[in-house]
Every structure is written in structure tokens, then in C-alpha cells.
Amino acid sequence: MLWTIAVILLALWAIGLAFKVAGALIHLLLVLALIVVLYNLFIKRRA
């Protein structure tokens, strides 16, 4: 589920770059998604 959200945000980010739609919000969401993905990767490796 987390990967699906990350892919959707990545697609929205690409669309935002192409059409200049809500660029700042999409960039912020993309950074948050990246942080969550990296956090989950590190937590799973420790467990």
C-alpha cells in the first residue's frame, strides 16, 4: 500500500512539473512520501 501511494505521488509530481499545477504542494507530498518509504526500509532491516 505504501508503494502504491509513493508511485501515485511520483506520477502527480511529474504531472505537476509538466503543467505547473500545485507544484509546491506536490513537491511537499513527494518529500514526505520519500521520508516515509526510507523510514520503513530502515525499520524493516533492523527487525
Side-chain angles (χ1 to χ4, degrees), residues 1-21:
M1 170 131 174
L2 183 63
W3 289 107
T4 305
I5 294 171
V7 169
I8 289 171
L9 286 173
L10 185 63
L12 288 174
W13 174 73
I15 291 169
L17 280 178
F19 298 108
K20 307 283 186 205
V21 177

Side-chain angles (χ1 to χ4, degrees), residues 24-45:
L25 178 62
I26 292 172
H27 288 295
L28 179 64
L29 290 174
L30 182 64
V31 169
L32 289 174
L34 182 62
I35 290 169
V36 169
V37 167
L38 291 175
Y39 177 76
N40 281 334
L41 285 175
F42 286 124
I43 293 299
K44 286 183 180 179
R45 288 186 182 179

